[in-house]
Amino acid sequence: MAPCGAPGVDARWEYRSDLGSLQLVAAAQPGAPGLCLAAAAGVYLAQCESRPGMQWLLRRILAPPSPLIATFYMYRAQSDEEYPNENINTADLPGVLWYLQNEVLGPCPRKYNITRIRRLRVTLRKDQIVDFVAFDRARCTVPGCLSKLSVQGFRVGCQYTNYGGDAARWYSLPGACPDLPAESKNLQCLRAQPGGACNGPIGTAGCSYHVEDAGDVGLSELSGIRDFKAFCADGNVEYDKATQRGRGLDFW
């Protein structure tokens, strides 16, 4: 597929694995006027208006960043299972530590077989953060959730909690078919309720946030447990809420 052309600009399509889509990469040719790329943007946007991924990339290259756009890390306690980065709950570091110590760590096995802390790089508009909603296996569990999202939009939600006297945040990332569990989502629903995850431009209709994987760390690796099964078999406990300490481990 050939990209739209413009004088003084070298453009090509390439697959962006981090975004999961084709994007137009454009760069001024050597010796071209300094404003050539900016001037060419109108040509690209006019001729390729039906290619939103291309428009977004050009805006990233040409437009100054909006002070309302924020990119930061969120964290998620998760099993080894892999699934889309939408219809999930995440947290900041104090928030994910609160969740681990209050909901996950304790008598073996860990809740939901959680094995790691994932790091996600999230981009959103700071003025479009809404109320938090809870998800379980890609389904929103708040009563009347779909009606609530229809009003506030499929935008990132946030609520505060307390961790050791410090503020902690939990986030919700509403995605496609939020009122259906993962195994029941279907094409008809995906078309009617596409969710808020997207490649950009952030803040436009149907595009509330963008998520990129940014690594993970295993809980056993983090706390120094070499063999989790053996650790459990010996009667050890990673963390006990009642005593606020572990047994056979003092990391948490």
Side-chain angles (χ1 to χ4, degrees):
M1 178 168 50
C4 305
V9 174
D10 175 31
R12 69 187 186 279
W13 290 98
E14 71 174 24
Y15 184 75
R16 290 286 302 276
S17 59
D18 58 326
L19 303 179
S21 61
L22 284 169
Q23 306 292 344
L24 185 69
V25 178
Q29 295 174 352
L35 296 178
C36 176
L37 186 56
V43 176
Y44 283 117
L45 294 177
Q47 294 184 2
C48 302
E49 189 173 0
S50 63
R51 301 172 186 172
M54 179 278 308
Q55 294 182 52
W56 176 68
L57 188 59
L58 282 175
R59 292 186 189 186
R60 288 186 64 187
I61 294 173
L62 301 174
S66 167
L68 295 176
I69 301 295
T71 298
F72 58 98
Y73 290 123
M74 295 182 184
Y75 301 87
R76 173 171 170 78
Q78 189 172 310
S79 69
D80 289 332
E81 186 179 0
E82 298 287 357
Y83 39 86
N85 293 323
E86 59 179 340
N87 289 322
I88 59 174
N89 294 124
T90 60
D92 60 7
L93 272 176
V96 78
L97 291 174
W98 186 100
Y99 177 69
L100 287 169
Q101 290 185 320
N102 286 272
E103 299 289 342
V104 176
L105 304 176
C108 300
R110 300 183 186 115
K111 185 177 182 179
Y112 299 137
N113 292 315
I114 286 174
T115 58
R116 55 184 173 148
I117 300 174
R118 298 182 59 216
R119 186 174 68 170
L120 305 173
R121 189 171 185 267
V122 180
T123 301
L124 49 73
R125 277 182 63 106
K126 292 183 285 187
D127 61 339
Q128 291 187 354
I129 296 176
V130 295
D131 292 340
F132 174 90
V133 294
F135 286 96
D136 184 10
R137 297 200 65 81
R139 181 181 185 179
C140 183
T141 58
V142 175
C145 183
L146 189 57
S147 297
K148 183 172 185 175
L149 292 175
S150 297
V151 173
Q152 69 181 27
F154 288 74
R155 297 172 176 174
V156 174
C158 179
Q159 77 174 16
Y160 286 89
T161 187
N162 181 283
Y163 179 72
D166 294 327
R169 298 173 180 85
W170 293 341
Y171 300 101
S172 52
L173 305 181
C177 311
D179 58 336
L180 294 176
E183 62 274 11
S184 299
K185 299 184 192 295
N186 55 71
L187 183 59
Q188 181 179 0
C189 174
L190 291 172
R191 289 172 175 168
Q193 304 163 15
C198 59
N199 291 338
I202 301 295
T204 57
C207 185
S208 300
Y209 62 90
H210 175 66
V211 183
E212 301 173 52
D213 286 314
D216 62 13
V217 61
L219 292 179
S220 294
E221 176 188 3
L222 183 66
S223 61
I225 298 175
R226 295 185 177 181
D227 186 329
F228 186 64
K229 289 184 178 180
F231 175 86
C232 293
D234 289 340
N236 295 312
V237 175
E238 289 180 281
Y239 182 76
D240 184 342
K241 286 194 295 183
T243 61
Q244 296 188 7
R245 65 183 61 201
R247 185 166 63 246
L249 183 73
D250 59 4
F251 179 83
W252 299 102

